[in-house]
Amino acid sequence: MVFEPLFSAFYARSVVKILMKMDLAFTPLELERKDLSGKAVVVIDSLRATSTMITAFENGCAGFIPVATIEEARNLAATLQDPNVLLGGERGARPLQGFHVGNSPRDYRVERVQGKIVIMTTTNGTRALVASRGAEEIFIGAFLNLTAICRRLKGSNRDVIIACSGEKNLFCLEDFVCGGAMVSCLEGSGVDLVMTDAARAAKILYEHFSPDICEMLEGSEWGQYLHSIGLGEDVRICSQIDSSGLVPIYRDGKVSLER
Ligand code: MLT
């Protein structure tokens, strides 16, 4: 019978299940205590650093060099002396003196960043990136590229740690919920997840807020702060689930779109 061989071939294929350990770190400090070797790490700063990076790549930016301090950023720019290199970043969500761009996704327009490399320093996002060094693969994640990240993680076939940037090494709601969205998305894609308590709790909280992610971001402490200094539009932009299919990666000190 034609059906029989077809069925067994299909059945055989459909029983190959991916088993993936899924963990989550609330802050860069907690991430630094974990064994990252051989793992895939997704760094999330949904408000706003990783959302801004993804938006910049959508607008033709060539890459980012994340650094921890303002001084380091200035010194590196002075050393490179390259007109194609910009200074970007924030403190207290406000642009830095003498820098070309801040940390608002709206600063990274095509005419401003196309073909440019940005030396970037932010309070939490670049700190989490620097703390993720030592992992085998490091991806830039946010609500903007949620499904693309899940597809990439599924393809990487590695155990995963979601690295929340937090707020000055304390818990923040928005990154935790974004991490939960990734756990939920992966689970829904047929991957068998072995979750830690942190990953499971994040998934449950995401399911609670999933009907209105923008409302969750606006209600978060950092979301309210951004609103209070006139950056409410950034919160709305950062809530645009799957507005990008890009998955930037961090390797050898640089964030780029190279595979
Ligand atoms: C950060 O990295 O701390 C945040 O992205 C800050 C901000 O929203 O500017």
Side-chain angles (χ1 to χ4, degrees), residues 74-91:
R74 289 192 201 288
N75 291 345
L76 183 55
T79 310
L80 294 174
Q81 290 286 329
D82 182 340
N84 264 331
V85 172
L86 303 180
L87 280 168
E90 58 72 42
R91 290 297 182 268

Side-chain angles (χ1 to χ4, degrees), residues 45 47-49 90 93 103 122-125 222:
D45 187 6
L47 284 181
R48 299 170 292 169
E90 58 72 42
N103 190 31
T122 72
T123 312
N124 305 295
W222 196 243

Side-chain angles (χ1 to χ4, degrees), residues 3 16-17 24 35 50 65 71 104 106 119 124 126 133 136 159 161 188 192 199 216 219 221 225 227:
F3 181 62
V16 174
K17 278 268 185 172
L24 180 144
D35 172 14
T50 55
I65 302 173
E71 194 193 357
S104 166
R106 292 172 292 158
I119 300 170
N124 305 295
T126 54
R133 283 187 293 205
E136 196 62 33
D159 292 338
I161 302 178
D192 254 351
M216 179 278 296
E221 288 176 65
Y225 171 72
H227 259 284

Side-chain angles (χ1 to χ4, degrees), residues 197-212:
D197 291 349
R200 184 184 300 285
K203 188 185 81 126
I204 292 166
L205 204 60
Y206 162 69
E207 287 158 357
H208 170 78
F209 283 111
S210 59
D212 194 338

Side-chain angles (χ1 to χ4, degrees), residues 21-165:
K21 285 203 191 94
M22 173 62 77
D23 190 11
L24 180 144
F26 293 100
T27 64
L29 200 59
E30 190 193 342
L31 184 69
E32 283 160 357
R33 290 195 207 124
K34 291 187 184 283
D35 172 14
L36 305 183
S37 55
K39 307 256 177 27
V41 167
V42 183
V43 174
I44 299 174
D45 187 6
S46 47
L47 284 181
R48 299 170 292 169
T50 55
S51 301
T52 295
M53 287 180 178
I54 294 160
T55 305
F57 282 114
E58 284 288 345
N59 292 334
C61 180
F64 288 85
I65 302 173
V67 294
T69 68
I70 297 171
E71 194 193 357
E72 229 179 311
R74 289 192 201 288
N75 291 345
L76 183 55
T79 310
L80 294 174
Q81 290 286 329
D82 182 340
N84 264 331
V85 172
L86 303 180
L87 280 168
E90 58 72 42
R91 290 297 182 268
R94 298 180 196 279
L96 299 162
Q97 203 179 6
F99 277 44
H100 304 93
V101 278
N103 190 31
S104 166
R106 292 172 292 158
D107 292 353
Y108 292 75
R109 302 177 308 283
V110 174
E111 62 275 17
R112 198 73 192 88
V113 298
Q114 189 154 47
K116 304 286 186 192
I117 301 267
V118 180
I119 300 170
M120 187 77 151
T121 179
T122 72
T123 312
N124 305 295
T126 54
R127 177 136 180 30
L129 275 167
V130 170
S132 69
R133 283 187 293 205
E136 196 62 33
E137 290 183 288
I138 306 165
F139 303 116
I140 307 298
F143 287 110
L144 307 190
N145 67 348
L146 182 61
T147 303
I149 279 278
C150 292
R151 208 176 290 124
R152 194 61 187 269
L153 288 174
K154 201 174 172 185
S156 86
N157 227 353
R158 293 182 192 283
D159 292 338
V160 174
I161 302 178
I162 291 175
C164 300
S165 297

